[in-house]
Amino acid sequence: MKVLVPVKRVVDYNVKVRVKSDESGVDIANVKMSMNPFDEIAVEEATRLKEQGAATEVVAVSCGVQQCQETLRTAMAIGADRSVLVQTDAELQPLAVAKLLKAVVEKEAPQLVILGKQAIDDDANQTGQMLAALLNWPQATFASKVEVSGDTAKVTREIDGGLETISLKLPAIVTTDLRLNEPRYVTLPNIMKAKKKTIDTLTPDELGVDVAPRLKTLKVTEPPVRSAGVVVADVPALVDKLKNEAKVV
Ligand code: AMP
């Protein structure tokens, strides 16, 4: 079974992003970029499936600028066997990424695609669902456990108020939630080994995909600054404030 893992290059989760003064977006010049954390979980899960003997090959794919190669090298240091870069400088929205991934799926013919549940930059939570719709494949989003046996995947999903376990016929789409696994540390020997693995480069034109944006960002602004809290003397003072200032009781 071949597993395809789409990985996105995003601003590192430790970076406090700043909004551009013209409100057109966030400033990513000279900012540390890393693999989207949910995608690390996806690569880890695919690697574990290979280690268990359920998968035979793990292929990472990234869509975006040339520097996405670094993200693919990290995926290969975790355990992916090889990579595909769909290289473009164009701004990619989830629908465009889903169309590019559909074209890669048609070329690679994987039985399972494991994506992150969302990218921490746009927080869209759309690509996996759109890819499932475009391919007409079953999907299990927000996975916290994945078991593959034969041509079936049993996936436990995190839903409001509990866990849901569903069974999917492969080929299928899975998106990862935080508790699915804890990605391994990337070791130096594995980083060195990853340098020798292949990255095939394609373009949206070669895949016949139009990536023109369908959505327009009107503006991006900082959230309102939170005002400082106050310490109240006792419970009656708290109740008074809740009643007369916050007017919530
Ligand atoms: P989103 O729908 O943007 O929140 O992204 C959900 C998931 O889709 C991510 O966790 C990735 O697995 C995948 N994805 C999104 N954008 C890209 C991209 N440019 N290249 C590869 N995978 C992507």
Side-chain angles (χ1 to χ4, degrees):
M1 176 179 80
K2 190 193 280 189
V3 185
L4 190 76
V5 188
V7 294
K8 187 176 189 186
R9 178 177 182 264
V10 297
V11 173
D12 187 88
Y13 72 97
N14 283 309
V15 172
K16 187 171 179 335
V17 287
R18 264 201 300 258
V19 170
K20 288 187 193 163
S21 53
D22 65 0
E23 298 189 334
S24 62
V26 295
D27 198 355
I28 57 162
N30 304 317
V31 159
K32 183 176 180 218
M33 306 293 283
S34 301
M35 188 190 302
N36 182 42
F38 293 106
D39 304 353
E40 268 185 60
I41 296 173
V43 180
E44 174 67 36
E45 194 63 21
T47 304
R48 289 186 191 187
L49 286 172
K50 192 175 164 198
E51 288 165 350
Q52 288 158 17
T56 47
E57 190 182 25
V58 177
V59 181
V61 50
S62 194
C63 309
V65 293
Q66 197 207 343
Q67 292 90 322
C68 293
Q69 284 193 0
E70 294 158 19
T71 317
L72 292 170
R73 292 277 168 219
T74 307
M76 293 188 291
I78 297 173
D81 297 291
R82 61 184 176 87
S83 296
V84 176
L85 169 63
V86 182
Q87 193 174 331
T88 172
D89 290 337
E91 176 210 336
L92 293 177
Q93 293 179 349
L95 180 59
V97 176
K99 288 180 183 171
L100 292 172
L101 294 177
K102 175 180 184 252
V104 174
V105 165
E106 280 162 359
K107 259 176 104 63
E108 292 285 341
Q111 279 74 56
L112 187 61
V113 183
I114 311 181
L115 305 93
K117 75 166 176 182
Q118 73 191 68
I120 60 164
D121 52 359
D122 59 18
D123 272 343
N125 178 1
Q126 294 174 355
T127 310
Q129 294 88 330
M130 285 176 168
L131 179 61
L134 292 174
L135 289 167
N136 199 20
W137 283 11
Q139 60 178 304
T141 49
F142 318 130
S144 62
K145 191 170 177 197
V146 176
E147 290 162 288
V148 176
S149 121
D151 64 351
T152 310
K154 198 164 113 191
V155 180
T156 304
R157 308 180 54 235
E158 302 210 353
I159 56 167
D160 272 357
L163 297 172
E164 177 189 58
T165 302
I166 58 175
S167 172
L168 310 171
K169 197 127 186 83
L170 300 180
I173 306 288
V174 168
T175 75
T176 61
D177 215 324
L178 209 56
R179 277 162 288 269
L180 179 59
N181 62 48
E182 202 173 311
R184 68 196 66 188
Y185 284 108
V186 172
T187 60
L188 191 59
N190 285 344
I191 294 174
M192 301 311 286
K193 271 191 219 152
K195 287 190 191 211
K196 298 209 180 90
K197 295 183 181 175
T198 358
I199 300 181
D200 292 318
T201 304
L202 297 165
T203 62
D205 278 351
E206 283 166 350
L207 293 171
V209 175
D210 167 19
V211 294
R214 300 291 200 274
L215 307 170
K216 191 169 152 210
T217 303
L218 300 180
K219 64 174 178 173
V220 176
T221 53
E222 296 274 358
V225 182
R226 285 178 68 176
S227 50
V230 286
V231 178
V232 289
D234 48 26
V235 172
L238 172 65
V239 172
D240 179 63
K241 277 193 179 293
L242 291 174
K243 255 191 195 152
N244 301 315
E245 274 181 34
K247 298 191 186 331
V248 291
V249 288

